[in-house]
Amino acid sequence: MRYLREVMRLLFRKSRIEASLEEELRSAQDLLAERYAANGLPPEQATRRARMDLEGPEQTKERVRDVRPGALLESFLQDVRLAFRSMRREPAFAGVAILTLALGMGVNTAAFGVLHSVVLDPLPYREPDRISLIWCSFRQMGAPRAPGSGPMLKEVERQTTAFSSVAGIWVGNATIQGDPEPEQVKQALVTWNFFDALGAAPSIGRAFAAADENAGPPKTAVISDGLWRRRFGGDPAILGKPLRLGRNTLTIIGVMPPAFRLHFPPDANVPAEPQIFVPFSKGLESAPKDLYYIRLLGRIKTGQSLAQAQSDLDAVAARLREGHTEYAAENLTFTAAPLQGDSVREVRPALLALMAGAAFVLLIASVNVANLLLSRGAARRREMAVRLSIGASRGRIVRQLLAESLALASVAAIGALALGWAAVKLVQAMRPDTLARLDGARLDPAILAFTAAVAILTAVLFGVSPAAEAARIDLASSLKDGARSTGGTRRRRLREGLVIAEVTLCYVLLTCATLAILTFFHLQKSSPGFDPQGVLTFEIQPGSGPPEGKVNFVRELERRLAALPGVTAAGAVSHLPLDDYPNWYSPYVPDGIAPEKARGLLADQRAVTPGYFRAMGATLKAGRLFDDNDRAATAGVVIVDDVLAASTWPGESAIGKRLQVERYHGAGFETAKVTVAGVVEHLRHHSLTRQLRGQIYIPYPQSPREHLSFALRTPGDPLALAAPARSVLHSLNKDMAIAKVRTMTSYVSRAQGPVNLNAVVAAIVGVLGLLLAAIGVYSVIAYSVVQREKELGVRMALGAEPRDVLRLVLRKGLALAGLGIALGVAGALVLARLLESILFGVTPFHWPTYLWAAAVIAAAALAACWLPAARASRGSVLTALRLE
């Protein structure tokens, strides 16, 4: 407490303490002078001797200040005051340094804000670190991240010892009947314990109980907050109200919170916002063991780790393979993946690349400011020498310079927060689907702490070299009148080394940014296998009635839609390209290959109507398209894409080949022998940048699915067809809902979103890095010209031409840039490999990119060197020689 009292007195009564110290020092000096005078010394000599014994009043005061309570705090506050006073004295220098740092730190704040909200921020569930996805792996089929079946889910639930609960989910479409009109929504079929395993609960009502799983159709439902407000007007008495879903009437037992979302990885095909949750029936366990469509989710028990959960799943998989021939034949295994990390597995590489690029910009900015401080330090050498000569310690000088660096970084951090948060808001406005959690980004303590840490680290990065140089000042040479020493060869080499490092970092950054931008341009020019221009799409649910009725309804609807004015082609498909509807893929077996040898052959399967390929603008490579003669009762035919045809029958024509595929017949799936009737160009269904599997198309009458997406092609505005299409549908069935009325170009734009975002960010980061590097080269060369003014004057006095001086200065700057580029090539070759997963149409070792980056940086260095070189070549010989 006494120590704290002394510190508080020091902070708030400093003037009184300093006056007391001054009085005490004067009294001590007077007593010593009186003692020497009493011994016979004259008064002037006695006073001088007393001063010498006290070793100087200011030095003595410093020693007293260094040992009293709160000395470090007092010294730090004094250094900070001096730092801000120094910034006020040199506003131009401070402004340039702060702006440079604010740009570098602002990019890092923005990058961390995105990374934190999307990757690091815990999922909004109870104990999210204990939630694990359970992926099924069928090694014989080549499917490492597959869904499971109902019997499999129940077996895992019974046999596991590491999970407190195991749940499942599958999301499809459903139609709400009633006023004001039918509405198609996303419906999630879940096990009764799904919400408990996920760690979420309704805000109104209750979640499902075991009794809600009935042998027949579901009886209860939990709805989303959005559906409750939109469809039911936010009725507080919603519990117990009926909900007509197709032919069934359910009772609403709960409403989820407004912010509730599902955060599954994209390849799980689980949309973020189902509007209705209904429980699976008790018949789930008696379903076919090889009907794989349910996504498995588990909550790890308290005290169990992910590794222990994986070991437990390995044991369960071994027992299932021993007890069930279906699983043994597929070599079934399980993989536990934390939901937190797996949900951002695909976007993580791009965000880490963004963080790396931001770090490079910050390093370049730090090197720039370090060079500015070194230049300023050369001008302040005499000031520092004077401080040292009157008693300041070298440690105090270093602390003062580091405090100035920290003051610059602190002011820059405020600007960085504003710039960074504005950048985050700009990314939010772009609304990339892969960064869905970015909507919840906020300026929370984690981002403030990160910016503060970056400010401190940056202050150390750019402040250490100038402070170290100041600590090595030679007093004798620095105090000479007219001394213009720059610290000799060591200081010059340090500045040049910093510029080389700056150019190296800029080269790596510009190379990687160019690769990302090239990916954007390649994607714009690449064909998705169809023509999205002039195509309107919408979804319907033909219903779960007899297959014949669905087929007839769809055929008549397609005929009437094709007859609409302005429609040049109309067709339907069970799974629209680039949509988020759960995928349908399964094995296929070509004739002549034993089933056990064909287990790795998988293909995406689609049911299509005759007009689909024309409506989508797909290209027929060989054979024919489907027509109205391809009915349920006729011979089975399929159309395959060129990828599957080339991999299955290399060097041969696929037309007329026979194979076994999976078809849907209303009550479930069956295998059937079919003949290849045509080959079309591969349509990119999942991603514009990745090709996952080949594709098999089946005539809709031979595999009538319960979900269809129609495509209408027109030379005019596609959205103008929305109202006529809705009228045609309701003329056939007034209770059928139409959903997701969108143009095909909107699907393509959404799929391009991540690449577009990468390109925009890469361009901004690359330009910033190039600009900062050019400024760095300019500052070093300009300062070098000033220091060599006498030398250059002597050269010109001895006969050197202005062009010789120009060439001399340019050669020096370009030599530094060339060495930096050479080192940058090595760094880029290593780091570009990390971008391979987000590149498209270009490899990490695309040599024109490396040449382009070298040329751009060389041009920037030449431009940065030209102005000081031209100034030096126009210098006056007499002025240069008069300097000494």
Side-chain angles (χ1 to χ4, degrees):
M1 294 301 297
R2 184 162 52 250
Y3 179 86
L4 289 176
R5 281 199 301 271
E6 291 297 325
V7 171
M8 297 304 292
R9 288 181 62 242
L10 180 65
L11 291 176
F12 298 105
R13 299 183 179 180
K14 185 177 179 181
S15 58
R16 185 180 302 178
I17 293 175
E18 287 295 317
S20 177
L21 175 60
E22 180 74 26
E23 179 63 29
E24 186 175 354
L25 188 62
R26 189 164 45 248
S27 298
Q29 180 178 314
D30 292 343
L31 287 173
L32 284 174
E34 290 176 6
R35 185 180 301 169
Y36 286 127
N39 290 335
L41 286 177
E44 291 183 1
Q45 292 186 18
T47 301
R48 181 173 179 274
R49 183 71 178 271
R51 288 176 178 171
M52 292 175 61
D53 285 353
L54 290 175
E55 299 179 355
E58 293 304 321
Q59 289 86 339
T60 302
K61 289 179 184 178
E62 281 298 311
R63 289 199 298 272
V64 172
R65 293 180 185 125
D66 287 343
V67 298
R68 65 190 179 192
L72 286 177
L73 178 61
E74 178 190 18
S75 174
F76 173 75
L77 293 177
Q78 185 179 13
D79 289 342
V80 170
R81 285 196 295 271
L82 289 174
F84 281 102
R85 193 180 305 162
S86 175
M87 290 166 56
R88 287 197 301 271
R89 282 201 310 269
E90 301 177 89
F93 162 79
V96 171
I98 289 171
L99 179 60
T100 301
L101 291 173
L103 287 173
M105 294 165 60
V107 171
N108 279 266
T109 298
F112 180 77
V114 174
L115 183 72
H116 178 260
S117 61
V118 176
V119 177
L120 304 179
D121 204 20
L123 292 173
Y125 306 129
R126 185 182 74 254
E127 298 178 297
D129 55 314
R130 290 175 51 203
I131 307 173
S132 171
L133 291 173
I134 302 175
W135 291 99
C136 305
S137 177
F138 305 108
R139 294 178 184 172
Q140 298 295 334
M141 294 170 53
R145 290 170 61 87
S149 64
M152 182 189 297
L153 185 153
K154 294 300 181 181
E155 288 285 358
V156 174
E157 187 176 21
R158 274 194 297 267
Q159 297 187 32
T160 183
T161 59
F163 292 89
S164 59
S165 58
V166 176
I169 180 173
W170 180 85
V171 181
N173 288 353
T175 301
I176 300 177
Q177 303 292 344
D179 294 333
E181 64 179 19
E183 178 181 355
Q184 191 178 133
V185 294
K186 292 293 183 184
Q187 170 189 263
L189 289 173
V190 298
T191 54
W192 70 269
N193 61 342
F194 174 78
F195 291 116
D196 179 65
L198 189 64
S203 57
I204 300 174
R206 65 173 178 87
F208 298 119
D212 291 308
E213 286 192 354
N214 300 287
K219 303 295 184 185
T220 56
V222 173
I223 64 174
S224 69
D225 181 85
L227 181 63
W228 172 53
R229 296 181 186 279
R230 183 181 70 253
R231 190 83 186 186
F232 299 96
D235 183 4
I238 187 65
L239 300 182
K241 291 289 181 69
L243 176 68
R244 287 183 56 202
L245 207 62
R247 298 181 178 181
N248 300 323
T249 299
L250 289 71
T251 300
I252 298 174
I253 63 170
V255 178
M256 297 305 294
F260 176 75
R261 301 289 187 278
L262 296 178
H263 298 283
F264 280 68
D267 56 347
N269 294 118
V270 177
E273 299 183 62
Q275 287 85 47
I276 300 175
F277 296 85
V278 298
F280 282 111
S281 68
K282 285 186 176 178
L284 191 65
E285 191 167 4
S286 60
K289 292 183 177 66
D290 58 354
L291 183 56
Y292 306 122
Y293 68 104
I294 302 174
R295 301 296 170 178
L296 276 58
L297 180 80
R299 175 165 286 272
I300 300 174
K301 289 181 179 178
T302 303
Q304 296 278 328
S305 66
L306 183 67
Q308 290 171 311
Q310 182 61 62
S311 178
D312 178 60
L313 287 175
D314 291 341
V316 172
R319 290 193 291 270
L320 289 178
R321 290 194 301 270
E322 291 175 2
H324 303 276
T325 56
E326 295 91 344
Y327 303 144
E330 304 293 354
N331 196 11
L332 170 69
T333 59
F334 295 117
T335 301
L339 182 63
Q340 176 82 41
D342 207 45
S343 61
V344 293
R345 182 176 61 94
E346 293 187 5
V347 74
R348 188 188 295 111
L351 294 182
L352 293 179
L354 172 61
M355 282 298 297
F360 272 50
V361 171
L362 180 61
L363 286 173
I364 295 173
S366 299
V367 170
N368 256 357
V369 177
N371 268 326
L372 286 174
L373 288 176
L374 284 171
S375 302
R376 182 169 174 255
R380 297 178 66 189
R381 289 176 66 82
R382 186 176 179 84
E383 172 197 340
M384 297 302 163
V386 170
R387 290 190 180 194
L388 287 169
S389 66
I390 63 175
S393 66
R394 292 183 184 271
R396 185 61 187 272
I397 294 294
V398 170
R399 289 205 310 269
Q400 172 62 40
L401 293 177
L402 288 177
E404 290 181 8
S405 300
L406 185 60
L408 287 172
S410 300
V411 176
I414 298 173
L417 278 174
L419 289 174
W421 202 245
V424 171
K425 292 297 182 184
L426 178 62
V427 176
Q428 284 180 330
M430 297 175 70
R431 302 189 67 82
D433 288 347
T434 52
L435 304 181
R437 294 186 64 202
L438 188 61
D439 290 343
R442 60 196 181 281
L443 200 60
D444 60 10
I447 295 178
L448 296 176
F450 173 82
T451 305
V454 168
I456 295 171
L457 177 62
T458 305
V460 173
L461 282 175
F462 70 75
V464 165
S465 294
E469 283 294 311
R472 291 194 290 263
I473 288 177
D474 178 41
L475 288 179
S477 62
S478 298
L479 289 174
K480 289 180 181 178
D481 289 336
R484 297 176 56 82
S485 170
T486 66
T489 304
R490 184 184 64 247
R491 177 180 288 270
R492 186 183 71 252
R493 287 179 176 173
L494 176 60
R495 290 174 53 80
E496 292 175 354
L498 289 175
V499 168
I500 292 171
E502 192 170 16
V503 173
T504 300
L505 293 171
C506 179
Y507 183 87
V508 174
L509 187 62
L510 190 60
T511 301
C512 295
T514 303
L515 290 174
I517 295 171
L518 285 176
T519 292
F520 167 78
F521 285 114
H522 280 293
L523 187 61
Q524 299 298 315
K525 294 187 296 182
S526 69
S527 169
F530 56 87
D531 179 11
Q533 299 298 324
V535 178
L536 178 75
T537 68
F538 61 87
E539 289 182 357
I540 65 168
Q541 291 288 111
S544 55
E548 296 81 5
K550 287 193 293 185
V551 168
N552 292 333
F553 173 82
V554 169
R555 181 182 293 116
E556 180 62 17
L557 177 60
E558 182 180 52
R559 187 188 66 79
R560 293 194 185 188
L561 290 172
L564 285 173
V567 175
T568 58
V573 63
S574 58
H575 297 72
L576 191 69
L578 306 176
D579 195 8
D580 58 2
Y581 191 75
N583 191 35
W584 171 25
Y585 70 96
S586 59
Y588 69 96
V589 182
D591 270 5
I593 298 180
E596 60 272 11
K597 293 184 179 180
R599 292 192 182 279
L601 298 178
L602 292 173
D604 286 338
Q605 302 209 22
R606 307 289 182 254
V608 300
T609 63
Y612 171 70
F613 291 111
R614 295 185 184 88
M616 291 295 291
T619 302
L620 180 67
K621 296 276 191 174
R624 67 175 180 87
L625 298 177
F626 298 138
D627 55 35
D628 287 336
N629 295 320
D630 296 310
R631 299 173 178 269
T634 60
V637 292
V638 295
I639 292 173
V640 301
D641 72 341
D642 51 0
V643 171
L644 186 142
S647 62
T648 307
W649 303 285
E652 301 179 40
S653 172
I655 304 302
K657 292 292 194 294
R658 298 276 293 171
L659 67 161
Q660 181 178 288
V661 299
E662 181 184 75
R663 298 195 307 194
Y664 187 75
H665 56 73
F669 291 92
E670 64 179 4
T671 58
K673 286 281 190 176
V674 295
T675 303
V676 177
V679 178
V680 296
E681 182 180 350
H682 177 80
L683 275 65
R684 295 192 178 272
H685 272 261
H686 307 285
S687 167
L688 294 175
T689 59
R690 288 182 301 140
Q691 179 177 290
L692 296 184
R693 287 175 289 269
Q695 296 153 1
I696 296 176
Y697 298 92
I698 307 173
Y700 182 76
Q702 297 179 5
S703 187
R705 300 302 299 263
E706 297 177 358
H707 165 270
L708 276 180
S709 292
F710 270 86
L712 309 182
R713 176 166 292 278
T714 177
D717 178 14
L719 291 176
L721 296 175
R726 183 177 282 105
S727 298
V728 168
L729 175 65
H730 288 165
S731 68
L732 291 174
N733 187 336
K734 62 181 179 60
D735 294 326
M736 188 168 291
I738 187 171
K740 294 174 72 171
V741 181
R742 301 174 185 173
T743 62
M744 201 62 221
T745 53
S746 68
Y747 284 98
V748 174
S749 298
R750 186 182 67 173
Q752 291 175 340
V755 174
N756 296 349
L757 179 62
N758 291 344
V760 170
V761 171
I764 293 173
V765 170
V767 169
L768 276 178
L770 183 63
L771 178 63
L772 292 174
I775 292 173
V777 173
Y778 170 81
S779 66
V780 168
I781 299 302
Y783 186 75
S784 173
V785 167
V786 171
Q787 297 303 313
R788 298 176 64 186
E789 194 169 353
K790 179 176 178 291
E791 173 203 339
L792 297 176
V794 171
R795 286 175 181 268
M796 296 180 71
L798 294 176
E801 295 292 333
R803 65 174 177 273
D804 298 322
V805 174
L806 182 69
R807 190 162 48 246
L808 179 68
V809 176
L810 289 178
R811 186 187 305 125
K812 181 66 175 177
L814 292 178
L816 296 176
L819 185 54
I821 290 172
L823 295 174
V825 170
L829 287 172
V830 174
L831 292 180
R833 287 191 62 87
L834 302 178
L835 300 178
E836 192 165 8
S837 63
I838 63 173
L839 298 181
F840 174 73
V842 63
T843 68
F845 310 116
H846 185 243
W847 65 266
T849 295
Y850 289 78
L851 294 178
W852 148 263
V856 169
I857 292 179
L862 179 63
C865 296
W866 185 266
L867 186 60
R871 188 185 304 123
S873 67
R874 294 193 302 266
S876 169
V877 176
L878 292 178
T879 301
L881 295 178
R882 196 181 299 125
L883 288 173
E884 296 297 322

